[in-house]
Amino acid sequence: MNGADRMMNEYLGQVATTEQGRSEYLRLAQSATDTVEQWRGLEGSVGGPIAGATDHLLSRLQDPLRLSINGRALDGRNVAVDELYRATYTRLVENNEYLSAMKKAWLEGQSEIVENASAIRLLTWQSRDAYDESEYLAGLIGPQAARAIRQQVKPSRTSSTRESVGAPKPKPRLTKTEIADPINVYREIAWLQGRNPDDVREQVERRIKNGMNQTESIVTEYGTQPVAGVLVGIDLETTGTSVNQDYIIDAGWELFDMAMGRAFEAQRRTYGISKQRERLGISRNITELTGITTADVSGRIPFQEDANAQKTIITALDGRIMVAHNANFERSFLIGNCEGYAEALRDGRIRIVDSMKVAQHSEDARVQGFKLDDYARRNHALDADRDMEVPSHDGGAIRLDQGEKERHLGLEDAHIMMRAMRNQLNALHSRYEHGEQVMQDVN
């Protein structure tokens, strides 16, 4: 076995926890290789931030991000730990910049010539793996030395401190972009009511012509029709907020009949983390938030290694409207980790409704906060009559570990989100039906 083969074998032994995971990684690498020239074509037509992404992808296919295993250089050289940390962190920064550009191009509809998003998933996988090693190295050199190296590689911006200026300002219902072009808001309303976005636009514009201002006309449209359709509510819990360095450790989703207010085919899943991350441990903050400990996920297969776990989620989402609270979070983690998700999203087979945006657009509250706990509490999803179990996909029932606040577990949060959104939109429809003003601002 030559040196390159030995290094790759060592790398594969670290980048995946199981034989299944190693096979999945190699399959993903081959799939990414098959799209190299497609990315080069996209790079040539788009340019800008994505320039250089193809050469970066080729480099990572031949020379993965991780440079060492537990402080021992993969190439056998004797390298100081601080230099290994500097080199690894530098690679991570560069990789994350290219990943950001590639995902932006994908989401903005510029990627039709690229067959699949395997390159994005591969680079995300490598980034998470290299981050695990960087955290191990940081522990060896100490937090102060690690912080100094990070500042040298990527200087952080100096944050300015702003003094409090009294009571919080009301949250605008629409952003400047949405005011200029409300098409995404029209889609949101249409998907919640089982309508065509063009019909929503026509009704909004009709009221504007009759003298109603744009914002009130849009908010009114949320109440003109009852909610309808079966949507998929989903929530992910992770080891942190960075898709390029954190793991999905808990997921819950359910089908929810908006007209009937009934959940069904619920699923809850727990996933593992790498062996190296197990040794580092899930942070105290995440455990305090979710109740999930390192022991809870120890020995389980990480989500990105488990093709069946990914297929299960895609089966639930494909061809449906996906609802999540602050949906960019779930979208980002699924694009980076779930086979077929980015492709279904680009092709329009998965459509997304963000319940946080629904609240910001149409809810009465303007300054009371739009986190899930705030939203669920205001809209009676956490009242004494809250559901304590939901029908599962296998014909049984899943007991919900739901108290009187947001639980930060996938299925529990997905369920209170769907119930809160239905309650809130039904209240708007009731106002419309009774001839009351739909839009009401409450501070």
Side-chain angles (χ1 to χ4, degrees):
M1 182 182 295
N2 62 36
D5 288 341
R6 180 187 59 77
M7 284 174 57
M8 182 53 69
N9 278 343
E10 279 200 86
Y11 177 74
L12 288 174
Q14 189 67 34
V15 76
T17 63
T18 62
E19 283 299 325
Q20 174 187 351
R22 286 184 276 279
S23 296
E24 180 65 13
Y25 178 86
L26 289 172
R27 185 203 63 76
L28 191 58
Q30 182 58 58
S31 182
T33 300
D34 294 341
T35 65
V36 164
E37 292 309 312
Q38 297 168 10
W39 280 105
R40 194 178 298 283
L42 177 63
E43 184 180 325
S45 63
V46 175
I50 204 173
T54 307
D55 287 339
H56 175 75
L57 173 59
L58 278 169
S59 296
R60 297 293 73 83
L61 285 164
Q62 299 163 6
D63 177 24
L65 282 175
R66 175 186 282 267
L67 293 170
S68 58
I69 297 177
N70 296 331
R72 176 177 56 83
L74 276 166
D75 62 7
R77 294 181 301 125
N78 187 16
V79 184
V81 175
D82 60 339
E83 288 306 309
L84 277 174
Y85 181 77
R86 182 188 301 276
T88 300
Y89 184 72
T90 300
R91 283 186 164 207
L92 281 170
V93 169
E94 179 186 50
N95 185 71
N96 290 347
E97 289 173 351
Y98 281 121
L99 260 176
S100 178
M102 292 167 77
K103 285 187 279 192
K104 187 172 186 290
W106 186 277
L107 290 170
E108 290 181 351
Q110 301 169 328
S111 62
E112 289 85 353
I113 65 173
V114 182
E115 182 179 355
N116 59 61
S118 54
I120 291 174
R121 291 190 289 275
L122 180 75
L123 294 178
T124 302
W125 191 329
Q126 286 197 12
S127 180
R128 187 180 301 108
D129 172 67
Y131 176 79
D132 285 352
E133 177 69 4
S134 76
E135 287 294 280
Y136 176 84
L137 297 171
L140 294 179
I141 65 176
Q144 187 172 349
R147 191 180 308 113
I149 290 173
R150 291 196 300 271
Q151 182 66 18
Q152 292 165 8
V153 172
K154 186 180 180 183
S156 59
R157 297 174 181 173
T158 303
S159 59
S160 59
T161 57
R162 292 184 294 180
E163 296 182 4
S164 176
V165 288
K169 295 181 179 179
K171 177 77 175 179
R173 292 184 180 275
L174 303 172
T175 66
K176 292 180 180 178
T177 300
E178 289 168 340
I179 291 171
D181 182 7
I183 181 58
N184 288 331
V185 185
Y186 296 160
R187 287 174 180 149
E188 177 178 282
I189 297 169
W191 295 345
L192 289 167
Q193 298 174 350
R195 299 166 62 193
N196 188 307
D198 287 339
D199 176 52
V200 173
R201 176 184 55 78
E202 289 172 6
Q203 297 305 317
V204 169
E205 291 179 353
R206 176 184 58 80
R207 282 189 296 273
I208 292 172
K209 288 179 180 178
N210 290 335
M212 187 178 286
N213 69 57
Q214 181 193 39
T215 298
E216 183 170 3
S217 184
I218 288 174
V219 175
T220 298
E221 198 61 27
Y222 281 91
T224 59
Q225 301 289 329
V227 289
V230 174
L231 314 184
V232 185
I234 186 169
D235 182 81
L236 305 179
E237 300 299 331
T238 62
T239 57
T241 58
S242 171
V243 66
N244 296 338
Q245 66 191 40
D246 287 306
Y247 293 80
I248 300 171
I249 52 176
D250 180 81
W253 61 93
E254 64 183 20
L255 300 187
F256 194 88
D257 186 321
M258 291 293 284
M260 302 298 294
R262 182 177 66 91
F264 58 103
E265 293 193 22
Q267 297 199 49
R268 170 191 282 141
R269 294 287 185 269
T270 302
Y271 312 107
I273 56 181
S274 71
K275 293 176 181 177
Q276 191 166 36
R277 185 67 70 95
E278 280 190 21
R279 291 191 291 271
L280 293 167
I282 291 176
S283 73
R284 181 186 302 173
N285 289 343
I286 294 299
T287 295
E288 289 176 351
L289 186 69
T290 65
I292 300 172
T293 67
T294 305
D296 291 331
V297 301
S298 179
R300 295 180 182 269
I301 302 175
F303 181 78
Q304 75 273 9
E305 296 185 30
D306 193 340
N308 289 331
Q310 296 168 44
K311 184 177 180 180
T312 298
I313 283 188
I314 283 297
T315 299
L317 296 176
D318 203 350
R320 296 187 184 274
I321 295 169
M322 162 187 152
V323 183
H325 202 75
N326 187 25
N328 282 345
F329 182 85
E330 276 74 15
R331 183 186 71 174
S332 295
F333 269 89
L334 290 173
I335 285 174
N337 293 278
C338 188
E339 179 83 12
Y341 180 83
E343 295 81 355
L345 191 64
R346 179 185 64 181
D347 296 345
R349 302 196 316 275
I350 294 175
R351 295 169 288 169
I352 298 176
V353 167
D354 186 340
S355 58
M356 179 180 282
K357 288 186 177 179
V358 172
Q360 291 170 347
H361 293 155
S362 63
E363 203 185 9
D364 297 347
R366 297 291 88 208
V367 296
Q368 298 173 28
F370 293 96
K371 292 182 179 179
L372 180 56
D373 189 72
D374 300 320
Y375 186 51
R377 199 174 301 283
R378 283 196 300 267
N379 291 286
H380 310 293
L382 291 169
D383 287 358
D385 65 342
R386 60 188 177 274
D387 296 322
M388 299 311 295
E389 66 177 27
V390 291
S392 68
H393 70 292
D394 59 5
I398 299 178
R399 183 76 179 171
L400 296 176
D401 182 15
Q402 185 62 68
E404 296 181 1
K405 62 180 181 179
E406 179 184 356
R407 183 62 182 82
H408 292 285
L409 285 176
L411 181 56
E412 282 75 4
D413 288 2
H415 186 65
I416 63 169
M417 169 189 69
M418 297 305 295
R419 188 177 180 198
M421 189 172 70
R422 179 178 184 269
N423 288 348
Q424 185 239 323
L425 295 173
N426 276 348
L428 298 185
H429 181 58
S430 177
R431 286 178 191 167
Y432 184 83
E433 289 282 277
H434 288 86
E436 301 171 8
Q437 183 175 355
V438 174
M439 188 179 85
Q440 298 179 18
D441 291 343
V442 176
N443 293 334

